Amino acid sequence: QVQLVESGGGLVQAGGSLRLSCAASGRTFSSYAMGWFRQAPGKEREFVAGIRRIGGITYYTDSVKGRFTISRDSAKNTVYLQLNSLKPEDTAVYYCAARSVAVVSTDPYEYDYWGQGTQVTVSS
Protein backbone atom coordinates (compact mmCIF):
# COMPACT_ATOMS: atom_id res chain seq x y z
CA GLN A 1 0.00 0.00 0.00
CA VAL A 2 1.06 3.56 -0.63
CA GLN A 3 -0.66 6.80 0.26
CA LEU A 4 -0.30 9.86 -1.97
CA VAL A 5 -0.96 13.46 -0.98
CA GLU A 6 -0.75 16.27 -3.53
CA SER A 7 -0.15 19.93 -2.79
CA GLY A 8 0.87 23.12 -4.55
CA GLY A 9 -2.16 23.90 -6.68
CA GLY A 10 -3.71 27.35 -6.86
CA LEU A 11 -4.83 30.25 -9.00
CA VAL A 12 -2.28 31.74 -11.37
CA GLN A 13 -2.35 34.06 -14.34
CA ALA A 14 -1.55 32.82 -17.83
CA GLY A 15 2.20 32.61 -18.30
CA GLY A 16 2.78 31.93 -14.63
CA SER A 17 4.24 28.91 -12.85
CA LEU A 18 3.35 26.45 -10.12
CA ARG A 19 5.09 23.47 -8.59
CA LEU A 20 2.97 20.53 -7.57
CA SER A 21 4.22 18.05 -5.02
CA CYS A 22 3.08 14.50 -4.34
CA ALA A 23 4.25 13.05 -1.05
CA ALA A 24 4.18 9.27 -0.76
CA SER A 25 4.06 7.13 2.35
CA GLY A 26 3.77 3.42 2.93
CA ARG A 27 5.64 0.99 0.75
CA THR A 28 9.02 1.90 -0.64
CA PHE A 29 8.56 4.86 -2.93
CA SER A 30 11.16 3.59 -5.35
CA SER A 31 8.99 0.52 -6.08
CA TYR A 32 6.60 2.59 -8.18
CA ALA A 33 6.47 4.28 -11.52
CA MET A 34 4.74 7.62 -10.99
CA GLY A 35 2.39 9.62 -13.13
CA TRP A 36 0.59 12.93 -13.11
CA PHE A 37 -2.88 13.16 -14.62
CA ARG A 38 -5.40 15.95 -14.87
CA GLN A 39 -9.14 16.18 -15.25
CA ALA A 40 -11.04 19.25 -16.36
CA PRO A 41 -14.81 19.59 -15.81
CA GLY A 42 -16.74 17.44 -18.25
CA LYS A 43 -13.61 15.79 -19.61
CA GLU A 44 -11.91 12.47 -19.08
CA ARG A 45 -8.84 12.12 -16.93
CA GLU A 46 -5.77 12.53 -19.12
CA PHE A 47 -2.11 11.66 -18.76
CA VAL A 48 0.20 14.64 -18.29
CA ALA A 49 3.61 13.27 -17.33
CA GLY A 50 5.28 10.19 -15.93
CA ILE A 51 8.61 9.02 -14.57
CA ARG A 52 9.95 5.49 -14.48
CA ARG A 53 10.65 3.62 -11.26
CA ILE A 54 14.38 3.83 -11.80
CA GLY A 55 16.59 5.64 -14.25
CA GLY A 56 14.60 8.87 -14.21
CA ILE A 57 13.23 8.45 -17.74
CA THR A 58 10.35 10.85 -18.22
CA TYR A 59 7.34 11.04 -20.52
CA TYR A 60 5.01 13.92 -21.38
CA THR A 61 1.86 14.44 -23.33
CA ASP A 62 2.49 16.64 -26.35
CA SER A 63 0.55 19.64 -25.06
CA VAL A 64 2.88 20.12 -22.08
CA LYS A 65 6.26 19.24 -23.57
CA GLY A 66 8.73 22.05 -22.98
CA ARG A 67 6.52 23.62 -20.30
CA PHE A 68 6.10 20.98 -17.59
CA THR A 69 8.82 18.95 -15.86
CA ILE A 70 8.34 15.85 -13.72
CA SER A 71 10.97 14.79 -11.21
CA ARG A 72 11.26 12.57 -8.17
CA ASP A 73 13.26 12.81 -4.95
CA SER A 74 13.54 9.33 -3.46
CA ALA A 75 15.10 10.64 -0.26
CA LYS A 76 11.94 12.69 0.35
CA ASN A 77 9.51 10.14 -1.12
CA THR A 78 8.15 12.93 -3.28
CA VAL A 79 7.41 13.45 -6.95
CA TYR A 80 7.12 16.94 -8.38
CA LEU A 81 5.50 18.52 -11.39
CA GLN A 82 6.86 21.93 -12.34
CA LEU A 83 4.33 23.83 -14.42
CA ASN A 84 5.69 26.77 -16.44
CA SER A 85 4.14 29.01 -19.10
CA LEU A 86 0.71 28.03 -17.90
CA LYS A 87 -2.29 28.45 -20.19
CA PRO A 88 -6.00 28.66 -19.38
CA GLU A 89 -6.46 25.23 -20.97
CA ASP A 90 -4.20 23.77 -18.27
CA THR A 91 -6.97 24.43 -15.74
CA ALA A 92 -7.92 21.13 -14.10
CA VAL A 93 -7.64 19.02 -11.00
CA TYR A 94 -4.20 17.42 -11.05
CA TYR A 95 -3.70 13.95 -9.60
CA CYS A 96 -0.59 11.94 -8.94
CA ALA A 97 -0.70 8.19 -9.27
CA ALA A 98 1.54 5.19 -8.64
CA ARG A 99 1.78 1.84 -10.34
CA SER A 100 3.70 -1.15 -8.98
CA VAL A 101 5.80 -1.72 -12.07
CA ALA A 102 8.85 -0.07 -13.56
CA VAL A 103 7.34 1.56 -16.60
CA VAL A 104 4.99 4.46 -17.05
CA SER A 105 1.57 4.08 -18.63
CA THR A 106 -0.68 6.76 -20.10
CA ASP A 107 -3.77 4.73 -19.15
CA PRO A 108 -5.17 5.81 -15.78
CA TYR A 109 -6.70 2.36 -15.25
CA GLU A 110 -3.22 0.86 -15.06
CA TYR A 111 -2.37 2.80 -11.89
CA ASP A 112 -2.86 1.25 -8.48
CA TYR A 113 -2.91 4.26 -6.15
CA TRP A 114 -4.16 7.82 -6.44
CA GLY A 115 -3.96 11.02 -4.49
CA GLN A 116 -6.95 13.23 -3.76
CA GLY A 117 -6.04 15.85 -6.35
CA THR A 118 -5.08 19.50 -6.29
CA GLN A 119 -6.85 22.25 -8.23
CA VAL A 120 -4.90 24.33 -10.76
CA THR A 121 -6.72 27.34 -12.19
CA VAL A 122 -5.14 29.52 -14.86
CA SER A 123 -6.79 32.85 -15.59
CA SER A 124 -6.46 34.62 -18.93
Side-chain angles (χ1 to χ4, degrees):
Q1 286 275 10
V2 64
Q3 294 78 44
L4 304 173
V5 179
E6 300 100 332
S7 61
L11 172 64
V12 63
Q13 289 188 333
S17 298
L18 287 171
R19 189 176 80 155
L20 308 183
S21 300
C22 175
S25 61
R27 270 192 68 186
T28 306
F29 177 65
S30 58
S31 300
Y32 298 89
M34 301 297 295
W36 283 96
F37 290 77
R38 65 187 179 187
Q39 188 165 19
K43 294 187 176 181
E44 293 186 350
R45 192 166 297 189
E46 65 167 346
F47 174 81
V48 176
I51 188 165
R52 293 190 67 163
R53 185 167 67 185
I54 57 175
I57 299 172
T58 57
Y59 305 85
Y60 300 92
T61 193
D62 286 346
S63 63
V64 308
K65 285 180 181 177
R67 300 190 298 122
F68 291 7
T69 303
I70 188 172
S71 61
R72 66 193 297 166
D73 185 335
S74 296
K76 295 183 178 180
N77 283 358
T78 301
V79 63
Y80 303 98
L81 187 66
Q82 178 69 41
L83 290 66
N84 296 330
S85 302
L86 281 161
K87 304 175 181 180
E89 51 264 43
D90 294 319
T91 296
V93 178
Y94 283 71
Y95 299 89
C96 73
R99 64 188 306 241
S100 323
V101 295
V103 298
V104 170
S105 171
T106 60
D107 184 348
Y109 291 100
E110 294 189 355
Y111 285 77
D112 304 301
Y113 304 102
W114 291 85
Q116 82 289 351
T118 185
Q119 176 70 47
V120 171
T121 303
V122 184
S123 63
S124 57

